[in-house]
Amino acid sequence: MATALGVQYRHLTSPEMATMATRCETASVLARSFDDWIAAVHSAGMHREYVDELIDAHIRAAVIRTRCTPVPLAPRPGTRAAERERRR
């Protein structure tokens, strides 16, 4: 199990995945993959063996989410939602 987790981590941090992380259209999938890897490490009870990798995975996923968080759209003028916002 440790070998498979190590291989998966190396794949997630490969140059190809780093390229994927630069585009918000694909980065959210990568962030989710880091979350799944983190969960797998904890599930396998291997968190002591992968301390540095876990920290790195948490940071990478957080950076992606911070950079690629969608900005809420303002209500379109003339709609009920826009009217409610205007009254606030």
Side-chain angles (χ1 to χ4, degrees):
M1 179 60 119
T3 302
L5 289 169
V7 168
Q8 184 63 29
Y9 177 77
R10 284 190 298 281
H11 176 70
L12 288 172
T13 57
S14 70
E16 295 83 16
M17 294 295 119
T19 300
M20 187 177 169
T22 62
R23 298 182 56 220
C24 288
E25 298 82 22
T26 55
S28 62
V29 173
L30 184 58
R32 177 64 187 179
S33 296
F34 278 117
D35 292 340
D36 291 345
W37 183 84
I38 291 165
V41 169
H42 286 290
S43 243
M46 306 285 295
H47 54 278
R48 289 193 178 114
E49 290 82 355
Y50 286 100
V51 172
D52 293 336
E53 292 87 348
L54 285 167
I55 292 168
D56 182 58
H58 278 289
I59 291 169
R60 287 176 188 250
V63 166
I64 289 169
R65 287 195 179 93
T66 300
R67 187 175 47 79
C68 295
T69 300
V71 177
L73 298 175
R76 290 183 313 187
T79 62
R80 290 184 197 178
E83 186 61 25
R84 281 192 298 272
E85 285 295 315
R86 189 183 67 73
R87 290 181 187 170
R88 286 186 185 184

